[in-house]
Each structure stands twice: as structure tokens, then as C-alpha cells.
Amino acid sequence: MTLVGGAGGADGADGAGGAGGAGGAGGAGVDGAIMSAMTEHPATDASSDKQRVLEFWEALYARDWDRIASFFTVDSEYTDVASPADDVARGPEQVVARLRLGLGKISGYEHDLRLIVAEGGTVVTEHTETWHWHTGEQVTLPFVSVQELSGGSILRWWDYWDLSTLMNAAPDWWIEDIAAGYL
């Protein structure tokens, strides 16, 4: 597994005053927008959020379904952006059911974490998953995962990836199985 940190100071914050800096004209402009954003999205500990997501990936790639469920609340949402817009798993039970549907019948997979950055309660992970089926097929899927956290729980997880990459490689029996759904 490869881990490459983000650019900048502590999780991208370099401590500089930004455009306009202290004493800018009337407190408006960039500084005003930053203050507004900070009020709307209270500061979180980006390092803790990153660590929590790393722990989540560890549980996911171990297929530890009970541990995976512990990362989500009843209000949490997870979807693959490639799926229909209304196809969103809500709460720990649905999230785990959705993950089991796709991952439960593959014979193995590897995770290559390329980049993980965190800011303001959001963690973005660039990674690949290589899936293997017992019938010999395999595919490497590039992902960008966006996860919003609060209090150590993942509240929103949106996975961005290319559906055709998966469908062109997956065996027909697996596609038929997932088409039945998880509910």
C-alpha cells in the first residue's frame, strides 16, 4: 500500500493570511469569505479525520462488516456516483449490505492508496482497487472517494469511478447477482 501525503503545511494550511491579509479593506473579500466558510463548517482535526478514514479502509479491505458498520450513523449516506442518483445507501445496515453485494462474491482484492488529503471535515482519497473473481477475471478500478466526517463518523461517502471499466471486466454471473440489488 502506498501512502502519499498532500501538499502544503499541516494538511494544506500554511498559516498565511491569504489575499488581503490582516487589515484588508473592510474585512470583506477573501477574508470575509473564509470567515463565512469557517462559521458554516466548524474546524475539525484533519489529522484525526485522515486517521479515521485510514482505519475505515483497513476494515473495508479486511471485509470486517461489523467494524465497517461502526463508522456510520443512522444518518450516514453512501453511493457510487456512477449509479442512479437515487441509489443511496442510508445508515450502517444499508451501507454494509451495499458493500457486501459488490465485494462479498469476489475472491480477493488489493487496495493501493495513492493520495489522501483532509480539510474541514472532508477527506478525499485517490486509490485503486484490483478485484479478482474465482472464475479468473480481474479488474483494476481507479477511485476518488469523498468522505465527510463528524465526531469520527462518516456522514457522507461518495465514490467516483468508471462503471464501464468494471462492467467490461466483470463476469456475467456477478453482474446478474448485483443487478438483484441489496434490499
Side-chain angles (χ1 to χ4, degrees), residues 3 13 15 28 31 51 55 83 88-89 118 147 149 171:
L3 176 61
D31 286 341
Q51 182 59 41
E55 292 167 2
S83 66
V88 177
Q147 294 164 312
L149 289 86

Coordinates of all heavy atoms in Angstrom, one line a residue, residues 3 13 15 28 31 51 55 83 88-89 118 147 149 171:
L3 N 1.3 5.3 0.4 CA 0.6 6.5 1.0 C 1.5 7.7 0.7 O 2.6 7.8 1.0 CB 0.6 6.3 2.6 CG 0.0 7.5 3.3 CD1 -1.4 7.8 2.9 CD2 0.0 7.2 4.8
A13 N -2.8 23.7 5.3 CA -2.9 25.0 5.9 C -1.5 25.6 6.2 O -0.8 25.0 6.9 CB -3.7 24.9 7.2
G15 N -0.9 28.7 7.2 CA -0.8 29.7 8.2 C -0.7 31.2 7.6 O -0.8 32.1 8.4
A28 N -13.9 42.5 4.0 CA -14.7 41.8 3.0 C -13.8 41.0 2.1 O -12.6 40.9 2.4 CB -15.5 42.8 2.2
D31 N -11.0 37.4 2.9 CA -11.0 37.1 4.4 C -12.5 36.9 4.8 O -12.7 36.1 5.7 CB -10.4 38.3 5.2 CG -8.8 38.2 5.0 OD1 -8.3 37.2 4.7 OD2 -8.2 39.3 5.3
Q51 N -6.8 9.8 9.9 CA -6.6 8.6 10.6 C -7.8 7.7 10.6 O -7.8 6.5 10.4 CB -6.0 8.8 12.0 CG -5.7 7.6 12.7 CD -4.6 6.7 12.0 OE1 -3.7 7.2 11.5 NE2 -4.9 5.4 12.0
E55 N -8.4 4.0 9.0 CA -8.9 2.9 9.8 C -10.1 2.2 9.1 O -10.3 1.0 9.1 CB -9.3 3.3 11.2 CG -8.1 3.7 12.1 CD -8.6 4.5 13.3 OE1 -9.8 4.6 13.6 OE2 -7.6 4.9 14.1
S83 N -23.8 5.2 -10.2 CA -25.1 4.5 -10.2 C -26.2 5.6 -10.3 O -25.9 6.8 -10.1 CB -25.2 3.7 -8.9 OG -25.2 4.6 -7.7
V88 N -28.9 5.5 -3.1 CA -28.1 5.9 -2.0 C -28.4 5.0 -0.8 O -29.5 4.8 -0.4 CB -28.3 7.3 -1.6 CG1 -27.5 7.8 -0.4 CG2 -28.1 8.3 -2.8
A89 N -27.3 4.4 -0.2 CA -27.5 3.5 1.0 C -27.5 4.5 2.2 O -26.6 5.4 2.3 CB -26.3 2.5 1.1
A118 N -7.1 15.9 3.8 CA -8.2 16.2 4.6 C -8.2 17.7 4.9 O -7.2 18.4 5.1 CB -8.1 15.5 5.9
Q147 N -15.3 11.7 1.6 CA -16.0 11.3 2.8 C -16.1 12.5 3.7 O -15.0 13.1 4.0 CB -15.3 10.1 3.5 CG -15.4 8.9 2.6 CD -14.4 7.8 3.0 OE1 -13.2 8.1 3.2 NE2 -14.9 6.6 3.2
L149 N -16.9 13.7 7.5 CA -16.9 13.2 8.9 C -17.4 14.2 9.9 O -17.2 15.4 9.7 CB -15.5 12.7 9.3 CG -15.0 11.4 8.5 CD1 -14.4 11.8 7.2 CD2 -14.1 10.7 9.4
P171 N -17.4 -10.8 -14.6 CA -18.1 -12.0 -15.2 C -19.7 -11.8 -15.2 O -20.2 -11.1 -14.3 CB -17.7 -13.1 -14.3 CG -17.3 -12.5 -13.0 CD -16.8 -11.1 -13.3

